[in-house]
């Protein structure tokens, strides 16, 4: 009977513990830093380890068991030895997940980091392991904004990043990155562009926050500004004044300008890299949502360009070089007059919150010791929101607040998040029709029935979590703050 039990364990497979996952991800991150921030996709890791990308996705995912020798192979590839505490065998109920290909992006990311060792005690603290060969610099900077490429505080989302790195190599690629503010959208965009550069592509970005309102509200002025910005980013001369033909219309002019001026001259003087692709990213696309007609026409134009890039071959089609990335914040709801399918074209990346293993990984990088039970309490308080978690660990590191004071949602915690909370309140006030549903959600500690459309909108704003047709508050940090604000407007 004992032999049979061991066979069953072997069939169920092994997966990494939180400690093992942390060691593997940090070894990967350190190698990327040492090799000039080259990002390793699943295909790159496949060449390094000799394992298939599908097997590697199971290792990083952690929800599907693999052979112990597979885990050893991954560790050996990074000059590490797999220790007993780095892995465990899955229980019978833990090996029945669907294949990754059938999951949504959020579901995949929710399982990117392995689950905790189910056999460990709830109160066990994961000790930090400082190795002299793997010491990272600790940044004293207050969290916020884009994560530098060499930041040790950037938490990888291996499967989503791999999908982006693979997609950006295809002619006409169109990647749409979306999430509430401060979820890591720009940091991911920057890493996609860095990866494109490492592959010999030209990579630039345009931030629509740089465009004045009078430019954004007029399609012709906006497209002229857009062409000028891309030209400047590529160090190409601005030829709009002599090129623009008012009789052709602004979309036709912009298309011709991109083809005849930007794409045609992209490799001028660089004969060794002829026909190298151009990746350009459009950040803060949501700035156009205040002008629905302009937004609709621009999104249609991007889709047209993407389709043109997929036609014919590189020798006769300059559009073959083009790859596109768009980034937008979902707190700014898209006007109903814009067809939602325009933002659902290509590869859609919806950044999810961090899961418990990712939270513990971030705590480790911030030199904070935190138990599994404290991690769960921290997620209940702050959600898995990257910025809120980074801010928490920053102030814990600065000893401004203790972990218990934070977990108790004290007045000190409210002060730390004051600006963030006021931003959430400002976002909500822009959509008064959502207030009645949100008031009910704030008042109830358990999920409440919510109309599908309003629930979806509140979820896009990062205010609630959805449970089928029910919704609950995204984090307990919100409850006392919004109770106070909602009481003020009702008094």
């Amino acid at each position: 009977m004992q032999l049979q039990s061991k066979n069953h364990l072997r069939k169920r497979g092994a997966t990494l513990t939180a400690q093992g996952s942390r060691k593997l991800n940090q070894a990967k991150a350190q190698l990327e830093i040492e090799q000039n921030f080259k990002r390793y996709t699943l295909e790159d890791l496949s060449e390094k380890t000799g394992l298939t990308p599908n097997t590697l996705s199971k290792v990083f995912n952690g929800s599907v068991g693999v052979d112990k020798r597979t885990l050893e192979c991954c560790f050996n590839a990074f000059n590490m030895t797999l220790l007993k505490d780095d892995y465990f065998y899955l229980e019978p109920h833990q090996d029945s997940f669907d294949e990754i290909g059938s999951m949504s992006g959020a579901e995949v990311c929710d399982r990117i980091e392995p689950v905790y060792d189910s056999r460990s005690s709830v109160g066990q603290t994961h000790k930090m392991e400082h190795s002299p060969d793997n010491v990272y610099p600790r940044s004293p900077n207050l969290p916020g904004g884009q994560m530098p490429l060499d930041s040790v505080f950037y938490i990888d989302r291996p499967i989503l990043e791999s999908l982006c790195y693979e997609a950006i190599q295809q002619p006409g690629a169109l990647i749409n990155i979306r999430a509430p503010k401060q979820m890591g959208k720009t940091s991911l965009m920057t890493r996609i562009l860095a990866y494109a550069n490492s592959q010999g592509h030209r990579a630039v970005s345009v931030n629509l926050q740089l465009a004045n309102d009078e430019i954004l509200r007029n399609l012709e002025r906006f497209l002229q500004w857009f062409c000028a910005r891309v030209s400047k980013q590529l160090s190409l001369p601005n030829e709009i004044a002599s090129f623009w033909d008012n009789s052709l219309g602004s979309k036709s002019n912009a298309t011709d300008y991109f083809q005849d001026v930007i794409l045609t001259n992209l490799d001028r003087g660089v004969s060794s890299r002829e026909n190298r692709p151009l990746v350009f990213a459009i950040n803060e696309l949501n700035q156009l949502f205040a002008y629905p007609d302009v937004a609709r026409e621009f999104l249609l134009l991007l889709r047209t360009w993407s389709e043109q890039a997929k036609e014919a071959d590189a020798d006769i089609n300059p559009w073959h070089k083009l790859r596109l990335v768009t980034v937008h914040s979902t707190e700014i709801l898209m006007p109903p007059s814009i067809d939602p399918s325009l933002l659902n074209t290509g590869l859609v990346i919806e950044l999810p919150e961090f899961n418990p293993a990712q939270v513990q990984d971030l705590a480790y990088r911030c030199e904070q010791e935190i138990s599994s039970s404290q991690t769960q309490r921290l997620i209940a308080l702050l959600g898995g929101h990257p910025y809120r978690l980074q801010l928490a660990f920053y102030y814990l590191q600065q000893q401004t607040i203790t972990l218990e004071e934070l977990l108790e949602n004290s007045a000190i915690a409210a002060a730390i998040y004051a600006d963030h909370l006021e931003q959430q309140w400002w976002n909500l006030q822009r959509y008064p029709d959502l207030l009645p549903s949100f008031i009910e959600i704030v008042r109830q500690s358990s999920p409440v029935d919510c109309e599908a459309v309003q629930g979806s909108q509140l979820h896009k704003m990062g205010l609630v979590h959805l449970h089928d047709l029910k919704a609950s508050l995204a984090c307990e940090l919100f409850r006392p703050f919004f109770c106070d604000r909602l009481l003020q407007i009702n008094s």
Side-chain angles (χ1 to χ4, degrees):
M1 293 295 291
Q2 188 176 2
L3 178 61
Q4 184 179 10
S5 176
K6 288 182 178 178
N7 286 338
H8 278 280
L9 282 174
R10 191 155 47 241
K11 287 180 181 178
R12 283 193 289 271
T15 189
L16 295 175
T17 62
Q19 170 184 299
S21 170
R22 184 169 60 242
K23 288 167 67 174
L24 185 60
N25 277 292
Q26 287 178 346
K28 171 178 172 288
Q30 182 64 20
L31 184 63
E32 291 173 339
I33 291 173
E34 291 172 356
Q35 298 195 9
N36 200 25
F37 313 119
K38 169 179 166 35
R39 309 302 294 181
Y40 276 87
T41 66
L42 292 179
E43 284 65 32
D44 295 328
L45 293 174
S46 176
E47 293 181 8
K48 186 175 181 62
T49 61
L51 302 171
T52 67
N54 183 54
T55 298
L56 286 167
S57 72
K58 293 177 181 178
V59 172
F60 281 101
N61 187 319
S63 60
V64 179
V66 297
D67 191 278
K68 177 187 171 184
R69 287 173 296 184
T70 297
L71 300 180
E72 290 175 333
C73 184
C74 288
F75 270 56
N76 292 341
F78 293 99
N79 297 318
M80 298 189 299
T81 301
L82 184 73
L83 304 178
K84 185 186 299 184
D85 293 337
D86 294 330
Y87 70 97
F88 70 99
Y89 287 101
L90 292 170
E91 299 298 328
H93 67 281
Q94 289 179 287
D95 63 348
S96 59
F97 292 116
D98 294 332
E99 289 298 315
I100 288 175
S102 64
M103 298 179 185
S104 68
E107 290 171 327
V108 167
C109 244
D110 192 46
R111 295 171 183 162
I112 282 177
E113 297 288 349
V115 297
Y116 299 119
D117 188 336
S118 60
R119 299 170 298 177
S120 63
S121 61
V122 173
Q124 178 184 354
T125 298
H126 297 264
K127 299 292 184 181
M128 297 175 293
E129 302 161 6
H130 299 286
S131 167
D133 296 325
N134 195 24
V135 176
Y136 296 106
R138 304 295 176 180
S139 171
N141 297 332
L142 190 67
Q146 174 189 325
M147 285 271 190
L149 286 173
D150 60 347
S151 173
V152 299
F153 303 107
Y154 179 78
I155 303 298
D156 287 322
R157 294 171 164 113
I159 295 178
L160 287 189
E161 290 168 3
S162 186
L163 288 172
C164 292
Y165 299 156
E166 292 167 15
I168 209 65
Q169 299 180 61
Q170 305 303 314
L174 179 54
I175 301 175
N176 295 297
I177 303 171
R178 61 183 66 166
K181 289 184 181 297
Q182 299 175 312
M183 283 287 291
K185 301 182 300 298
T186 303
S187 296
L188 175 59
M189 178 200 78
T190 303
R191 282 155 178 79
I192 294 171
L193 296 181
Y195 175 78
N197 270 321
S198 74
Q199 301 300 301
H201 302 359
R202 296 292 301 274
V204 297
S205 64
V206 174
N207 192 325
L208 297 195
Q209 285 185 327
L210 296 175
N212 299 333
D213 282 348
E214 57 266 27
I215 291 174
L216 293 172
R217 64 166 52 100
N218 181 283
L219 181 62
E220 182 157 15
R221 288 198 63 186
F222 171 70
L223 289 178
Q224 288 178 337
W225 174 88
F226 183 75
C227 290
R229 287 301 307 174
V230 175
S231 296
K232 184 176 179 60
Q233 293 288 83
L234 292 168
S235 300
L236 295 173
N238 183 342
E239 300 181 21
I240 291 174
S242 59
F243 187 91
W244 216 259
D245 184 345
N246 291 330
S247 66
L248 294 177
S250 56
K251 288 168 66 176
S252 180
N253 272 313
T255 300
D256 292 342
Y257 189 90
F258 251 82
Q259 176 175 312
D260 299 339
V261 177
I262 293 178
L263 295 175
T264 300
N265 295 316
L266 192 61
D267 300 309
R268 180 168 292 177
V270 194
S271 59
S272 61
R273 288 190 173 183
E274 291 181 355
N275 292 322
R276 58 178 173 168
L278 168 64
V279 179
F280 77 81
I282 304 163
N283 202 4
E284 298 290 347
L285 183 66
N286 45 274
Q287 293 293 314
L288 279 178
F289 292 173
Y291 311 101
D293 291 341
V294 176
R296 182 175 55 253
E297 295 300 327
F298 184 57
L299 290 171
L300 282 168
L301 185 61
L302 293 181
R303 187 165 71 177
T304 299
W305 290 355
S306 173
E307 292 302 319
Q308 281 184 245
K310 299 173 185 176
E311 298 173 359
D313 57 50
D315 293 332
I316 60 175
N317 180 16
W319 290 96
H320 198 78
K321 305 174 183 178
L322 188 66
R323 291 98 166 96
L324 301 167
V325 180
T326 67
V327 179
H328 78 274
S329 297
T330 53
E331 293 97 333
I332 312 300
L333 300 179
M334 191 169 66
S337 59
I338 300 177
D339 184 354
S341 68
L342 293 176
L343 279 172
N344 291 324
T345 303
L347 176 63
V348 176
I349 300 293
E350 296 184 357
L351 295 184
E353 295 185 340
F354 287 163
N355 61 32
Q358 289 172 311
V359 175
Q360 284 207 329
D361 188 11
L362 180 60
Y364 169 82
R365 300 182 190 204
C366 296
E367 300 181 319
Q368 298 300 308
E369 295 181 359
I370 182 170
S371 70
S372 297
S373 61
Q374 289 171 328
T375 299
Q376 295 293 347
R377 291 175 63 193
L378 189 62
I379 292 174
L381 175 66
L382 303 177
H385 192 283
Y387 171 74
R388 291 197 289 265
L389 291 163
Q390 290 159 2
L391 200 61
F393 291 133
Y394 171 80
Y395 281 110
L396 287 171
Q397 192 176 34
Q398 299 296 310
Q399 299 183 347
T400 303
I401 190 173
T402 67
L403 182 57
E404 282 308 312
E405 286 174 330
L406 178 64
L407 294 176
E408 289 170 3
N409 204 0
S410 64
I412 301 177
I416 286 173
Y417 291 99
D419 290 342
H420 178 75
L421 292 169
E422 290 293 348
Q423 181 65 53
Q424 307 308 310
W425 175 234
W426 185 85
N427 291 337
L428 181 61
Q429 286 181 296
R430 300 180 64 183
Y431 305 100
D433 57 310
L434 299 178
L435 279 173
S437 295
F438 188 64
I439 289 173
E440 185 65 22
I441 293 169
V442 170
R443 287 175 175 170
Q444 301 296 326
S445 58
S446 57
V448 300
D449 293 330
C450 185
E451 185 180 335
V453 173
Q454 293 190 335
S456 175
Q457 291 175 330
L458 289 169
H459 176 67
K460 289 176 181 177
M461 297 174 73
L463 296 175
V464 306
H465 289 155
L466 297 180
H467 316 270
D468 294 326
L469 296 180
K470 294 179 179 290
S472 62
L473 201 60
C475 64
E476 286 303 313
L477 177 71
F478 288 169
R479 200 176 302 278
F481 173 82
F482 279 115
C483 279
D484 179 63
R485 289 294 184 275
L486 295 172
L487 185 62
Q488 290 178 17
I489 65 173
N490 289 329
S491 60

